[in-house]
């Protein structure tokens, strides 16, 4: 089985679907001839033709609106937003249109679109190349939100998202495009070749939406994470010395509540880790769900480790980014409570 | 010191002034439309639909009209329609007006929460719906009811949707008149202005991508041209030469704001096409024949891969914005009556009578029959139930959020006990 990094895996997913289904079209800013600023669409135009993978004007609202119109026609568009920080001009189209089209039309029209967008920090991206907007989308009824943490999942989830008949926001943690990153920015970069999840089948397969993965089994606490934070969590758990179970949510919506509840009922403790700022973040929803469903099994308050409630700063990258030591501290705290 | 700074500086300059456009007349004043250009019927040239856009940059500043003041069809844009087609158009427009007058009263009687009329604008949807093919797709606004009636959409389904009753085709989920009718080439309406204008471009791009022959048509009002979606739609339509007809129904008013607030004080909405490099036509929206002819021109252009056209239909919103609006608070009471382009129904009626193909008696009889049909449909709808008296099964509230409900939706449905 070939080794792929995340970019190659995503590229392979697009290639597989474009080869299988003539209704799959890929477009966005710089995705065509150039192959994307992160190379995810590299070679697709050359292989599948100008009309299958093309450049768009710099207009996020226009990109998503035309994708919705194409979807209503019967195509299966996979538009790209260059950075998740720049998805907001399309927010009205996503929230008021894509998410509501099936509902408001009584099922007459729907938007089978997959909106790919690099997200997350840890790259000195500053305020507009680092944000994690998943909680904003999680609050929108009718949207699905998916975040992979390794090449195998990235390809399988992307194929599943494209085949899904509902609109999917597919957020790609750009910090781990080239290799897993555990938050130790002072150590040498790793590549995917040495890491689990980089054996990626060439052909078609899916990772189902709405299914979390138990990355590490443990008895003493449950850590909920997704994206880059899965790798940070692995490292943080090791540093803490706590025998924590690590769950990679993979899908924010639909959420695999059963896997989460089963784990917390077993461990009795829970820490949630995400890059996005804390207040109103998706960790709040996770915390509420765990509290509602595992109240009598909980031995300590639920912990939340997240970005601070500030815009994403530049110079303070590693003061802001919730690294492994902050998770380790939170794990020790829930063990002491 | 730079030359720029040598002459005294800020103290010597006249103060800047902020310009806020105001309409020509307010309540109690005499209606005036001298800020608009009304070319005589027949006076605008009709270029070949394959013409290069730079050759027709005068058209957005003229006004394409076919029917003159005597009701004669004149000039190069006369589509030469047979009397049967015109009688059908007349009937559709009259039906829209009768229906809307009836439903406006129903709202006042508390049978529904909300309603909007398209009085004075009936020619636009009627002519375009009849002119285009059944499988072309219209991305409507909430003010083109005549599109649906021209395609024989069942009046009872309109009534049921407006009453949100047990037979509401949209299952009680949508505000009254935000219809969706895929089989009738009528895309799902939403309350968000302008969002569907650019979706129409995507739909048209998809048709071209597939090598299909279908085209799209989209509407915005004059006010909505100020939304970003308008710019996005025109940009994408131009870039990809999308087979789409983009229509601005300029009825002079966006709720209480006159068209100058939307940017039309010193230019036309049609002229906005010029900067995008697509043809812009400015058309008498109260002239059924002109609407038809301009649509046919744009459709031919789209169907021959020449791309998009922007059409401004100059019309007048004769009624209030909605049942929640009182236009006497911001414009002269008699402004609609003074509108220089008249009433689309009266003008087509006059034309047919002048051709010897219609009569005042037949018209009166037709209106009576239409009123009876609407009365019967409303009665049938009332029999099913008006707002609050009847509604679809509450379980429908939880359907169609996703194709398949996720656990949250299922749990919450159980929680509500439905």
């Amino acid at each position: 089985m070939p080794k792929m990094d995340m970019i190659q895996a995503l590229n392979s997913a697009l290639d597989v679907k474009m080869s299988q289904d003539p209704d799959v079209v890929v477009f966005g800013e710089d995705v065509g001839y150039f192959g994307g600023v992160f190379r995810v669409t590299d070679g697709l135009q050359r292989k599948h033709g100008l009309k299958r993978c093309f450049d768009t004007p710099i207009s996020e609202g226009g990109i998503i609106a035309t994708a919705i119109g194409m979807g209503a026609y019967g195509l299966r568009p996979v538009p790209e937003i260059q950075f998740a920080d720049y998805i907001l001009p399309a927010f009205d189209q996503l929230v008021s249109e894509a998410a509501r089209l099936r509902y408001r039309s009584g099922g007459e029209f729907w938007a089978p679109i997959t909106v790919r967008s690099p997200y997350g920090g840890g790259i000195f991206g500053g305020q507009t190349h680092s944000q994690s907007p998943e909680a904003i989308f999680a609050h929108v009824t009718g949207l699905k939100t998916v975040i992979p943490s390794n090449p195998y999942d990235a390809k399988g989830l992307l194929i599943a998202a494209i085949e899904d008949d509902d609109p999917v926001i597919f957020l790609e943690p750009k910090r781990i495009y080239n290799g897993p990153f555990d938050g130790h920015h002072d150590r040498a970069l790793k590549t995917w070749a040495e890491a689990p999840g980089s054996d990626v089948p060439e052909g078609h397969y899916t990772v189902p939406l709405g299914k979390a993965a138990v990355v590490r089994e443990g008895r003493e606490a449950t850590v909920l994470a997704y994206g880059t934070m899965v790798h940070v969590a692995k490292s943080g758990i090791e540093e803490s010395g706590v025998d924590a179970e690590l769950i990679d949510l993979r899908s924010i919506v639909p959420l695999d509540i059963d896997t989460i509840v089963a784990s917390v009922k077993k461990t009795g403790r829970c820490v949630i880790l995400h890059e996005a700022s804390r207040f109103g973040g998706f960790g709040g929803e996770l915390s509420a769900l765990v509290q509602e469903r595992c109240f009598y099994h909980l031995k300590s308050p639920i912990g939340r480790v997240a970005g601070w409630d500030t815009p994403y700063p530049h110079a303070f990258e590693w003061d802001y980014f919730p690294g492994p030591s902050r998770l380790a501290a939170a794990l020790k705290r829930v063990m002491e409570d | 010191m730079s030359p720029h700074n040598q002459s005294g500086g800020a103290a010597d300059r006249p103060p800047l002034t902020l310009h806020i456009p105001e309409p020509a007349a307010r309540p109690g004043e005499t209606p005036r439309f001298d800020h608009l250009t009304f070319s005589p019927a027949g006076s605008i040239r009709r270029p070949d639909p394959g013409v290069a856009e730079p050759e027709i940059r005068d058209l957005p500043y003229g006004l394409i009209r076919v029917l003159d003041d005597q009701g004669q069809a004149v000039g190069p844009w006369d589509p030469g329609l047979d009397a049967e087609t015109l009688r059908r158009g007349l009937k559709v427009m009259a039906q829209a007006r009768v229906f809307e007058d009836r439903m406006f009263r129903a709202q006042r009687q508390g049978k529904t929460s909300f309603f909007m009329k398209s009085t004075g604008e009936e020619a636009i949807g009627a002519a375009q719906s009849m002119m285009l093919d059944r499988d072309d797709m219209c991305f409507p606004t909430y003010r083109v009811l005549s599109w649906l009636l021209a395609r024989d959409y069942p009046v009872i389904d309109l009534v049921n949707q407006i009453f949100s009753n047990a037979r509401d085709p949209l299952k009680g989920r949508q505000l009254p008149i935000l219809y969706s009718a895929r089989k009738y080439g009528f895309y799902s309406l939403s309350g968000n202005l302008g969002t569907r204008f650019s979706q129409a471009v995507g739909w048209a791009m998809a048709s071209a991508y597939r090598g299909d022959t279908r085209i799209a048509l989209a509407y915005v009002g004059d006010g909505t041209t100020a939304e970003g979606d308008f710019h996005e739609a025109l940009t994408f339509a131009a870039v990809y030469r999308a087979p789409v007809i983009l229509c601005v129904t300029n009825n002079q008013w966006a709720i209480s704001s006159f068209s100058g607030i939307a940017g039309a004080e010193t230019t036309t909405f049609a002229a906005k096409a010029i900067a995008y490099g697509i043809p812009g036509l400015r058309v008498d929206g109260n002239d059924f024949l002109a609407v038809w002819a301009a649509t046919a021109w744009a459709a031919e252009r789209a169907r021959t891969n020449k791309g998009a056209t922007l059409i401004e239909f100059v019309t007048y919103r004769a009624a209030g914005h909605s049942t929640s609006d009182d236009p006497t608070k911001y414009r002269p009471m008699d402004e609609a009556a003074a509108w220089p382009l008249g009433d689309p129904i009266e003008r087509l009626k006059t034309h047919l009578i002048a051709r010897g193909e219609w009569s005042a008696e037949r018209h009166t009889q037709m209106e009576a029959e239409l009123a009876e049909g609407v009365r019967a449909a409303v009665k049938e709808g009332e029999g099913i139930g008006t707002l609050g008296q009847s509604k679809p099964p509450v379980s429908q509230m939880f359907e169609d959020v996703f194709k398949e409900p996720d656990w949250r939706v299922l749990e919450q449905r159980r929680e509500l006990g439905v």
Side-chain angles (χ1 to χ4, degrees):
Chain A
M1 199 177 292
K3 290 277 183 190
M4 293 189 198
D5 62 26
M6 200 123 147
I7 289 166
Q8 292 164 330
L10 291 163
N11 181 275
S12 175
L14 293 169
D15 183 35
V16 164
K17 283 315 299 173
M18 291 176 85
S19 302
Q20 281 182 343
D21 183 353
D23 288 336
V24 173
V25 282
V26 172
F27 52 93
E29 298 157 16
D30 306 297
V31 309
Y33 184 86
F34 180 60
V37 295
F38 290 106
R39 316 312 302 155
V40 172
T41 57
D42 189 26
L44 296 177
Q45 184 182 85
R46 200 163 52 247
K47 179 171 175 184
H48 298 283
L50 197 57
K51 291 175 193 169
R52 303 287 311 278
C53 177
F54 57 88
D55 293 323
T56 64
I58 302 174
S59 170
E60 291 75 17
I63 290 168
I64 300 305
T66 48
I68 294 168
M70 290 179 189
Y73 185 93
L75 301 188
R76 216 164 262 282
V78 190
E80 176 183 303
I81 301 295
Q82 202 160 78
F83 288 87
D85 312 70
Y86 304 132
I87 206 165
L88 296 178
F91 201 52
D92 191 26
Q93 287 289 344
L94 290 167
V95 176
S96 310
E97 297 291 325
R100 307 281 155 79
L101 186 57
R102 183 190 295 278
Y103 189 78
R104 75 170 194 239
S105 70
E108 280 196 332
F109 298 93
W110 59 93
I113 66 173
T114 301
V115 182
R116 287 185 40 252
S117 192
Y119 95 110
I123 58 151
F124 281 97
Q127 294 186 24
T128 54
H129 301 84
S130 307
Q131 294 173 61
S132 299
E134 69 276 6
I136 300 176
F137 296 113
H139 190 61
V140 178
T141 52
L143 288 182
K144 294 178 176 173
T145 301
V146 174
I147 303 177
S149 70
N150 61 65
Y152 180 89
D153 285 355
K155 179 172 174 180
L157 284 167
L158 182 54
I159 290 176
I162 293 170
E163 292 174 352
D164 196 281
D165 285 333
D166 293 314
V168 180
I169 310 292
F170 192 90
L171 297 175
E172 301 167 2
K174 58 187 165 307
R175 186 61 183 82
I176 57 172
Y177 266 152
N178 295 304
F181 176 68
D182 64 3
H184 287 289
H185 52 93
D186 45 350
R187 295 182 190 166
L189 289 177
K190 291 177 201 143
T191 66
W192 276 112
E194 314 144 21
S198 60
D199 291 316
V200 180
E202 300 235 35
H204 177 279
Y205 69 93
T206 59
V207 172
L209 308 188
K211 288 280 174 216
V214 179
V215 176
R216 180 193 192 282
E217 295 202 2
R219 294 172 295 110
E220 295 180 310
T222 298
V223 175
L224 304 178
Y226 46 89
T228 304
M229 289 297 118
V230 171
H231 305 279
V232 173
K234 274 189 216 169
S235 193
I237 289 168
E238 259 174 54
E239 285 173 34
S240 72
V242 177
D243 182 22
E245 183 146 295
L246 172 57
I247 296 177
D248 176 359
L249 299 182
R250 299 200 288 203
S251 293
I252 300 297
V253 176
L255 183 70
D256 185 353
I257 188 68
D258 293 340
T259 297
I260 295 168
V261 167
S263 176
V264 178
K265 281 187 173 172
K266 180 177 76 175
T267 63
R269 292 181 170 87
C270 181
V271 177
I272 298 154
L273 175 63
H274 60 59
E275 289 179 70
S277 51
R278 185 152 63 196
F279 189 92
F282 191 62
E285 183 61 39
L286 288 170
S287 175
L289 286 166
V290 168
Q291 186 273 140
E292 286 163 2
R293 283 150 204 262
C294 308
F295 185 75
Y296 296 105
H297 294 79
L298 284 172
K299 297 171 191 157
S300 66
I302 298 160
R304 277 193 290 163
V305 178
W308 307 119
D309 289 322
T310 70
Y312 205 110
H314 186 247
F316 312 119
E317 178 82 56
W318 305 117
D319 305 294
Y320 179 94
F321 186 91
S325 61
R326 282 182 56 202
L327 177 68
L331 276 170
K332 287 178 195 159
R333 217 163 34 241
V334 298
M335 293 309 295
E336 286 160 10
D337 278 335
Chain B
M1 191 180 274
S2 74
H4 189 71
N5 285 338
Q6 278 169 1
S7 58
D12 294 342
R13 295 183 195 127
L16 297 169
T17 61
L18 179 63
H19 173 67
I20 312 287
E22 270 291 305
R26 287 296 194 184
E29 297 175 343
T30 306
R32 277 175 46 205
F33 297 102
D34 42 6
H35 56 292
L36 298 175
T37 304
F38 300 103
S39 319
S43 65
I44 304 295
R45 68 196 174 102
R46 184 186 183 278
D48 183 272
V51 68
E53 182 279 330
E55 292 169 32
I56 52 169
R57 289 185 179 164
D58 52 320
L59 290 188
Y61 298 101
L63 185 66
I64 295 167
R65 307 176 66 187
V66 174
L67 293 173
D68 68 13
D69 292 343
Q70 286 72 48
Q72 301 292 329
V74 297
W77 287 89
D78 178 6
L81 298 175
D82 61 71
E84 194 182 335
T85 302
L86 294 179
R87 281 192 294 265
R88 166 100 184 118
L90 185 67
K91 184 178 171 187
V92 165
M93 292 194 287
Q95 187 184 22
R97 185 154 313 169
V98 167
F99 177 80
E100 291 184 332
D101 286 345
R102 180 68 193 80
M103 296 314 292
F104 190 90
R105 289 201 304 280
Q107 191 278 337
R108 291 299 191 236
Q109 294 162 347
K111 291 171 181 169
T112 181
S113 62
F114 181 74
F115 193 70
M116 299 174 97
K117 297 166 84 171
S118 61
T119 314
E121 304 174 38
E122 297 92 341
I124 299 163
Q128 297 202 292
S129 181
M130 290 172 66
M131 192 277 136
L132 290 176
D133 285 353
R134 293 285 300 199
D135 61 356
D136 294 329
M137 184 65 78
C138 160
F139 289 70
T141 63
Y142 43 63
R143 226 184 284 280
V144 281
L145 170 70
S146 54
W147 176 284
L148 284 172
L149 295 176
R151 296 184 173 207
D152 293 315
Y153 187 83
V155 175
I156 181 61
D157 288 344
L158 298 173
V159 173
N160 290 336
Q161 198 280 330
I162 291 161
F163 288 165
S164 296
N165 66 22
R167 305 259 175 85
D168 174 359
L170 301 184
K171 304 167 188 177
R173 297 174 188 154
Q174 267 289 35
L175 267 181
I177 83 165
L178 296 185
Y179 314 114
S180 178
R182 186 171 189 145
K183 277 193 302 185
Y184 299 82
F186 192 90
Y187 187 73
S188 158
L189 273 163
S190 69
N192 303 73
L193 296 176
T195 44
R196 285 138 287 116
F197 208 52
S198 34
Q199 290 171 31
V201 176
W203 195 97
M205 288 168 67
S207 180
Y209 168 84
R210 281 254 189 96
D212 205 342
T213 59
R214 307 166 72 186
I215 65 173
L217 175 142
Y219 295 104
V220 286
D222 46 300
T224 303
T225 61
E227 292 282 4
D229 304 78
F230 178 75
H231 167 64
E232 289 159 4
L234 285 161
T235 301
F236 279 67
V239 167
Y240 300 109
R241 256 178 244 171
V244 62
I245 306 173
L246 296 169
C247 305
V248 178
T249 51
N250 174 11
N251 65 16
Q252 314 305 319
W253 291 97
I255 307 185
S256 73
S257 302
F258 89 115
S259 59
I261 290 290
E265 198 175 28
T266 56
T267 186
T268 72
F269 293 106
K272 297 186 184 242
I274 293 173
Y276 295 92
I278 67 175
L281 306 180
R282 188 166 172 268
V283 177
D284 180 346
N286 291 15
D287 179 341
F288 184 92
L289 297 174
V291 174
W292 184 295
T295 308
W297 190 92
E300 183 176 340
R301 200 171 163 88
R303 291 191 205 285
T304 53
N305 286 305
K306 297 292 196 300
T309 302
L310 179 70
I311 308 179
E312 174 186 352
F313 291 112
V314 179
T315 183
Y316 185 83
R317 195 196 76 208
H321 167 71
S322 72
T323 48
S324 308
D325 178 46
D326 176 7
T328 65
K329 294 283 194 284
Y330 50 79
R331 70 185 189 187
M333 187 103 68
D334 55 346
E335 198 175 71
W339 174 241
L341 298 177
D343 179 291
I345 297 177
E346 289 303 313
R347 286 176 64 194
L348 186 56
K349 175 185 163 190
T350 303
H351 171 65
L352 274 167
I353 291 173
R355 273 169 69 163
E357 296 285 356
W358 197 240
S359 68
E361 295 73 34
R362 286 177 73 181
H363 194 85
T364 305
Q365 190 193 340
M366 177 187 76
E367 284 181 328
E369 285 166 10
L370 289 170
E372 183 45 41
V374 167
R375 191 159 40 239
V378 172
K379 203 173 167 201
E380 187 185 344
E382 286 173 347
I384 298 159
T386 55
L387 181 68
Q389 309 303 311
S390 161
K391 64 184 174 189
V394 180
S395 61
Q396 281 300 325
M397 182 165 67
F398 296 99
E399 300 290 321
D400 295 327
V401 178
F402 295 115
K403 187 177 185 185
E404 303 295 337
D406 71 350
W407 59 266
R408 300 172 299 169
V409 177
L410 295 173
E411 267 189 12
Q412 289 164 23
R413 183 177 159 174
R414 278 196 295 275
E415 189 177 330
L416 190 62
V418 295

